[in-house]
Amino acid sequence: MSAEGVDLLVVGAGMAGLTAAARAVRDGLSVVVVEIGADVGGSARFAGYAWTAPSHEVMDRHNPGGDVALKRALVDRFADGIAWIRSLGVEAKDAQRILSFGRGHQFDTNHYVDTCGQLVLHGGGELLLETETERLLVENGAVVGAEVRAADGTPRQVRARTTLIATGGFQGDPALRTAHVHPHAEGMRLRSNPHSRGGGYRLATQVGAATGGDDAGFYGHLIPSGIPFADPADFVDMSLYYSEHALLFNLRGERFVDETLGDHLTAMALLDQPESRGLLIADARVFRDWIVGSYVEGAVAVDKFALASKRGGRVGLAEDLEELAFLPEEWGYRGETIRDAVRVFNERATVGSGPSPGRELDRLALDEPPYYVIETVPAITFPFHGVRIDDRARVLRADGQPLGGLLAAGSDTGGLWHRAYAGGLAAALVFGLTAADTAGGATRA
C-alpha cells in the first residue's frame, strides 16, 4: 500500500464532487477523485436545472426550518455558481421561474459533469472509477486522507490535506432511509442513481461527524404505483408534477395536504398516509393545462397519464363525476367516498368558502369532465438528513466545532432543508465551489 499526498481528495464524482475537483484543479491544487460507479456524474446526469430561492426572504418563507447560515450562503453564492458553469463553456440559459417561487437556469448537466471530469484529468488530477473508499485516515484528531480499494481488489492509501465527502446521500440504503427519513421509507422507489447508499455518511460518522436534522424529510416526487423505472429517463417522465393542480386522496377518501404548494412536499405528506399511497384526480382543465404541458418552460412535455396507462399502472378515466363511484374494488378505495369528496370540493371552490385543507395556489374547481385518475406513491431522490456542515463546507463535530481536514457537500449533508426544498443541484454547485475554496485556503495556510 503506497502513501502519497495531495491537496484535495474528493470522495464521489457527482455534481458537488466534480464541481469541487474542477475548481480546485483550476486553482492549482492537486486532486484525486474516487468514485464507486463506472462513470462520473451520479444523479446530476438526470437533472437539467440549477435553481433556488431568489432572496433570503423567499428562502426563509419556504424553508423556515433550514440552517440560517447555509440558506444565506446558497442564496448569496448562487449567481457565482452559474457564472462558474458558464466559465467552463457550458451554456446556462437566462433565468426563469421554477415552481411557484424559485428562479433558475436550464443547462446541459451531462456536458457540465463531463467537462469537469476532463478538466480534472487535463489539470493533472486523478479520477479513480469503480473504487470504494473503505475508511478515512485520522491523525491527531484530523482527517488526513483515506484508504480506497479498486474493483480488482487493489488497496491504496491516498493522503490529503483536505478530504471532501460528496457521495450523494443514502437514499439507496433502505435501512438508513427507515432510520433517518421515515419508518415507512424502506419500500420507497429510488428516483436517483443506485450508488448513493450512504458511503459518505458512514465514513464521516465513523470519525465523529455530527448529523441532522431529525424528521427533516426528503426530496422526491409522486410517481404512478406499481410501475418500475425502466431507465433514468423515467425519473422525470414518470414524476407526476401536475399534482400541484390535482386532488390527492388517501385510502380513507380524505384530502390531507395542500397539493398546490408543491409535488415534492405532497410526496413527503403521502408517505405519512395509510400504506403510503393515494388517488390523484385531475379534470380536463388540469389535463389540458398541466398533464400534457411542460412543468417548466423549455422542458419536454410528456403525457404522464397515457404513459402510466401504457406501462400498466392503476389508471382510470371517468367520463363524469358519477363514474368516480365505480373504482375497481381491488384498489381498496371506496369510490362513492371519492366521488362525494370531489363534489364537495367543487361546491366549496365554486362559492369561495374554501376547502380543507386549503388550496393556496390553485383554488379552481375540478368540474370539467372527464376525470383522470392515477394511483400514486412517493419516490425518493435524496434525504434531507445528513452530515452537518458550516457555511464553509467544513464537517462539524457534535460540539459544533469543525472536524479537521474534512469537508462535505451535496446530498451527503444535512441541515439546509427541513421539510422544504429549493434546489438540490444549486446546493451541490454552491457548496462544491465553497469546498474547493476552503481546501485552497487550507493548502495556502
Side-chain angles (χ1 to χ4, degrees):
M1 183 178 295
S2 64
E4 58 192 68
V6 294
D7 295 319
L8 177 63
L9 168 62
V10 179
V11 182
M15 183 72 182
L18 285 175
T19 295
R23 174 69 156 251
V25 166
R26 179 171 276 194
D27 289 347
L29 276 63
S30 55
V31 174
V32 171
V33 180
V34 178
E35 166 60 39
I36 196 171
D39 193 13
V40 302
S43 296
R45 290 200 179 274
F46 317 135
Y49 295 83
W51 72 277
T52 194
S55 68
H56 297 311
E57 179 184 14
V58 173
M59 176 66 83
D60 290 342
R61 184 164 67 248
H62 289 273
N63 181 30
D67 180 277
V68 173
L70 300 184
K71 292 190 297 184
R72 296 288 185 272
L74 176 56
V75 171
D76 289 343
R77 301 170 194 168
F78 179 62
D80 290 340
I82 299 301
W84 160 258
I85 292 173
R86 290 169 171 162
S87 77
L88 300 186
V90 177
E91 179 188 9
K93 295 185 178 180
D94 291 341
Q96 65 183 88
R97 179 178 175 178
I98 307 290
L99 297 184
S100 62
F101 65 91
R103 296 284 290 176
H105 305 260
Q106 185 181 22
F107 71 108
D108 186 339
T109 51
N110 286 285
H111 184 197
Y112 175 75
V113 295
D114 288 337
T115 298
C116 286
Q118 290 301 311
L119 181 59
V120 171
L121 294 175
H122 293 163
E126 282 191 88
L127 180 57
L128 308 178
L129 298 176
E130 297 182 285
T131 300
E132 183 172 2
T133 303
E134 296 191 321
R135 72 179 185 94
L136 298 177
L137 303 174
V138 179
E139 294 178 0
N140 300 319
V143 174
V144 294
E147 290 182 357
V148 305
R149 187 174 298 274
D152 64 3
T154 303
R156 180 176 174 182
Q157 187 179 92
V158 182
R159 297 185 67 84
R161 290 180 181 269
T162 306
T163 299
L164 169 65
I165 298 295
T167 65
F170 57 74
Q171 60 272 12
D173 187 291
L176 285 175
R177 291 203 307 266
T178 300
H180 299 298
V181 175
H182 193 280
H184 300 162
E186 181 177 0
M188 292 178 72
R189 198 75 50 79
L190 182 61
R191 188 181 175 272
S192 84
N193 80 85
H195 300 299
S196 295
R197 299 189 293 268
Y201 183 89
R202 291 186 178 92
L203 289 169
T205 55
Q206 286 167 2
V207 297
T211 62
D214 295 332
D215 193 34
F218 66 95
Y219 172 62
H221 283 289
L222 298 179
I223 62 171
S225 67
I227 303 177
F229 290 129
D231 59 56
D234 282 348
F235 297 161
V236 172
D237 291 348
M238 299 297 289
S239 293
L240 304 177
Y241 306 123
Y242 74 87
S243 75
E244 296 167 14
H245 303 276
L247 298 176
L248 182 61
F249 297 93
N250 63 19
L251 276 169
R252 295 189 290 263
E254 304 163 335
R255 287 184 58 239
F256 51 90
V257 67
D258 181 347
E259 304 94 339
T260 70
L261 297 180
D263 181 77
H264 57 294
L265 301 178
T266 302
M268 275 191 279
L270 183 56
L271 188 61
D272 276 328
Q273 298 302 304
E275 299 184 26
S276 300
R277 61 188 177 105
L279 282 187
L280 192 62
I281 299 179
D283 70 348
R285 171 185 67 87
V286 174
F287 178 83
R288 183 176 58 248
D289 294 346
W290 300 103
I291 293 181
V292 295
S294 295
Y295 182 56
V296 293
E297 183 181 348
V300 175
V302 175
D303 185 339
K304 296 174 185 291
F305 183 83
L307 182 59
S309 179
K310 179 180 179 181
R311 299 278 288 275
R314 283 183 168 176
V315 306
L317 183 66
E319 292 299 332
D320 56 32
L321 194 58
E322 287 303 317
E323 278 197 14
L324 286 176
F326 301 102
L327 293 170
E329 185 176 346
E330 64 269 20
W331 289 13
Y333 304 84
R334 289 183 56 85
E336 297 91 343
T337 301
I338 300 293
R339 176 202 60 196
D340 293 346
V342 175
R343 177 180 289 127
V344 169
F345 172 86
N346 287 341
E347 290 172 352
R348 291 180 176 176
T350 300
V351 301
S353 63
S356 180
R359 299 267 291 181
E360 182 176 333
L361 301 179
D362 185 345
R363 296 173 178 159
L364 297 177
L366 272 69
D367 56 4
E368 184 181 340
Y371 290 90
Y372 299 81
V373 181
I374 298 180
E375 186 179 62
T376 183
V377 295
I380 186 170
T381 304
F382 68 88
F384 293 154
H385 177 96
V387 176
R388 295 306 300 264
I389 61 170
D390 66 10
D391 62 358
R392 294 173 57 188
R394 299 179 301 181
V395 170
L396 301 177
R397 303 185 312 230
D399 63 3
Q401 294 302 306
L403 202 167
L406 189 62
L407 311 176
S411 300
D412 280 331
T413 66
L416 175 59
W417 311 119
H418 187 87
R419 306 198 72 82
Y421 176 74
L425 209 65
L429 171 67
V430 164
F431 287 102
L433 293 173
T434 298
D437 292 345
T438 298
T443 297
R444 290 187 292 270

